[in-house]
Amino acid sequence: YIYYRKQINLTFVTLTLPSQQKHTDYQIKQKCLNEFIQYARKNFHITTYVWRAEKQKNGNIHFHIIWNRKVDKYLLRDTWNRIIERLGYVRAYSERMKKLTEEQYLKLRKPKTNEEVIKCKLAYTKGVNSGWSQPNSTDIHRIEKINNISKYVCKYITKKQGENELGVDGHCWGYSDNLKLVDPCEVSITNTDEQIIQQEIAKGNIRETKKDFVIYYSFIKCSIFSLSLSFAETFIEHFRDAYAILECST
């Protein structure tokens, strides 16, 4: 079991747009995210993944992905930039950044220490030399401890769409086909738990939101227990199972 856990290289990926979004969420997901995932499956050998779409404060859609492989951060960035450039997002970033002087760039970055100022100046010089053609539109880091996956799932996967004013149009999450091989996860609650939940809903301490396939319980003033944590712990067990099934099949 210990050996098995060491073989899983779960990483957390973030994909953003380096310039203001000019296409619909549907277009970004279809022409950018879908193509990126297809490329990652073929060239990065990604087999198990879950993605979640959210909106930034500036209105841009961005994506969080948990998948089962390590990928070089520069290769990841270059791949995503190449794909989103087909819709002009790298070019728009380049045109905007070329207008900035070093002083304006520093005001934009807002460095707080002399060390940060030096780094920003180096970044500005690098950007000028490259024609601002390599925006830092991606982030990737390994989930060091497998148990940490619970907090990632809770924060990025189970968070309901539209918690702020900027909801994502259409589907806001998806997953790899091999995860369909496992049984749906279930969080069991007793009749007593159900009674307590309904009582707290009546008091206004819990907000109930019904969607097509799920019911959200928002604990406003009540902290009986964490349904999202239970879901996350169950989810990672399924993620492990799906990965094991796939490894055995290969």
Side-chain angles (χ1 to χ4, degrees):
Y1 177 70
I2 295 176
Y3 175 79
Y4 170 68
R5 286 181 60 165
K6 288 182 178 179
Q7 304 312 301
I8 302 179
N9 294 309
L10 291 183
T11 53
F12 186 77
V13 176
T14 300
L15 309 173
T16 62
L17 298 177
S19 52
Q20 192 62 41
Q21 181 175 335
K22 297 183 181 300
H23 299 77
T24 66
D25 294 345
Y26 296 102
Q27 290 173 316
I28 299 297
K29 285 183 288 184
Q30 180 181 11
K31 298 183 179 181
C32 297
L33 178 66
N34 287 352
E35 183 172 340
F36 174 80
I37 290 178
Q38 290 175 11
Y39 185 91
R41 291 173 59 187
K42 181 179 179 180
N43 297 276
F44 302 157
H45 308 294
I46 302 300
T47 53
T48 304
Y49 61 86
V50 176
W51 64 265
R52 176 68 155 91
E54 292 182 317
K55 285 284 186 147
Q56 295 176 292
K57 292 181 179 180
N58 63 5
N60 282 5
I61 192 172
H62 70 289
F63 306 98
H64 300 292
I65 308 175
I66 298 173
W67 66 29
N68 64 313
R69 298 286 183 184
K70 294 185 292 185
V71 177
D72 178 78
K73 62 180 181 180
Y74 298 110
L75 180 59
L76 179 78
R77 182 198 65 189
D78 292 345
T79 299
W80 176 244
N81 282 343
R82 173 178 55 78
I83 291 174
I84 61 177
E85 172 53 17
R86 294 176 182 176
L87 296 182
Y89 286 98
V90 175
R91 184 168 59 256
Y93 167 83
S94 176
E95 292 174 354
R96 175 170 60 88
M97 297 303 291
K98 285 178 179 178
K99 299 177 182 179
L100 297 181
T101 64
E102 184 180 87
E103 182 179 357
Q104 292 172 327
Y105 180 77
L106 290 176
K107 288 183 178 180
L108 182 66
R109 294 289 299 272
K110 299 179 181 179
K112 297 181 180 179
T113 64
N114 289 333
E115 183 179 358
E116 290 179 351
V117 170
I118 294 174
K119 288 183 178 180
C120 285
K121 288 184 176 182
L122 291 174
Y124 178 80
T125 301
K126 182 178 180 180
V128 171
N129 293 336
S130 66
W132 299 102
S133 61
Q134 300 172 347
N136 188 25
S137 58
T138 62
D139 180 66
I140 183 171
H141 61 269
R142 182 182 177 186
I143 302 176
E144 295 294 339
K145 297 181 179 179
I146 196 72
N147 291 334
N148 284 352
I149 191 68
S150 296
K151 73 177 181 180
Y152 285 112
V153 173
C154 285
K155 183 176 182 180
Y156 295 111
I157 305 300
T158 65
K159 184 166 62 175
K160 71 177 182 179
Q161 179 179 351
E163 284 187 347
N164 52 39
E165 295 179 357
L166 302 171
V168 174
D169 293 331
H171 293 298
C172 61
W173 66 280
Y175 53 92
S176 54
D177 289 339
N178 63 318
L179 285 176
K180 298 176 182 178
L181 299 175
V182 298
D183 295 329
C185 62
E186 297 181 357
V187 177
S188 300
I189 59 176
T190 65
N191 291 333
T192 301
D193 293 331
E194 176 64 22
Q195 292 175 4
I196 294 175
I197 289 176
Q198 294 304 321
Q199 290 173 0
E200 295 299 325
I201 290 175
K203 295 177 182 178
N205 293 335
I206 296 179
R207 182 187 296 118
E208 181 183 44
T209 305
K210 294 183 179 181
K211 298 290 185 179
D212 292 338
F213 305 103
V214 67
I215 298 177
Y216 295 105
Y217 292 103
S218 303
F219 293 79
I220 305 171
K221 301 177 183 178
C222 179
S223 58
I224 305 170
F225 50 83
S226 175
L227 287 177
S228 60
L229 179 60
S230 299
F231 173 83
E233 290 174 344
T234 306
F235 180 87
I236 186 54
E237 290 301 326
H238 286 295
F239 199 97
R240 288 196 188 107
D241 290 344
Y243 188 85
I245 291 172
L246 188 68
E247 288 298 298
C248 290
S249 65
T250 57

